[in-house]
């Protein structure tokens, strides 16, 4: 497969895997035998879950469903709300354009004050 074909095929696989998760509620890649559900269930580390207001592709209920799969993890949640400047509210990636917001705070441990 050419490098261009690989670059196109990879996002297609990701979309297929994501679509399967949406339809079934289960994490399972089309190929391979890794048990993602068991790995999630056994995870005991820390998780910072960020709920981005008005995100139409990852609403709080989707985050809740994912976090239910990691019952042994120590979960902290952060509700992120921003005017988002000129970006469209409800867009999945508008938080990226908020220069003083989520990304700098999460990378530096700055302004995020998660609630347990």
């Amino acid at each position: 497969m050419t490098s261009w074909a690989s670059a196109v095929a990879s996002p297609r696989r990701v979309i297929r895997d994501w679509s399967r998760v949406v339809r079934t509620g289960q994490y399972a890649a089309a190929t391979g035998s890794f048990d993602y559900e068991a790995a999630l269930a056994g995870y005991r580390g820390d998780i910072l879950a960020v709920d981005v207001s008005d995100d139409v592709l990852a609403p709080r209920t989707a985050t809740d469903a994912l976090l239910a799969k990691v019952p042994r993890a120590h979960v902290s949640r952060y509700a992120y709300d921003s005017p988002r400047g000129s970006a469209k509210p409800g867009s999945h990636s508008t938080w990226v354009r908020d220069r003083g917001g989520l990304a700098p705070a999460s990378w530096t441990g700055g302004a995020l004050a998660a609630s347990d």
Side-chain angles (χ1 to χ4, degrees):
M1 186 179 297
T2 66
S3 60
W4 179 85
S6 294
V8 172
S10 182
R12 287 181 183 161
R13 279 191 294 270
V14 170
I15 295 292
R16 276 190 300 243
D17 288 344
W18 177 80
S19 298
R20 187 177 311 102
V21 170
V22 170
R23 285 190 316 272
T24 67
Q26 302 294 309
Y27 287 89
T31 59
S33 60
F34 185 78
D35 189 344
Y36 292 96
E37 293 291 325
L40 288 165
Y43 182 72
R44 295 176 183 266
D46 294 332
I47 295 174
L48 172 59
V50 179
D51 299 300
V52 178
S53 66
D54 301 323
D55 187 338
V56 296
L57 293 181
R60 185 176 175 94
T61 54
T63 305
D64 293 341
L66 177 57
L67 292 175
K69 294 178 178 289
V70 288
R72 294 183 174 104
H74 177 262
V75 177
S76 297
R77 296 213 49 176
Y78 178 75
Y80 179 70
D81 189 18
S82 168
R84 302 184 189 200
S86 61
K88 293 180 182 177
S91 176
H92 185 61
S93 58
T94 55
W95 62 270
V96 175
R97 295 179 192 97
D98 184 6
R99 290 186 184 157
L102 180 61
S106 60
W107 293 333
T108 64
L112 289 185
S115 60
D116 292 340

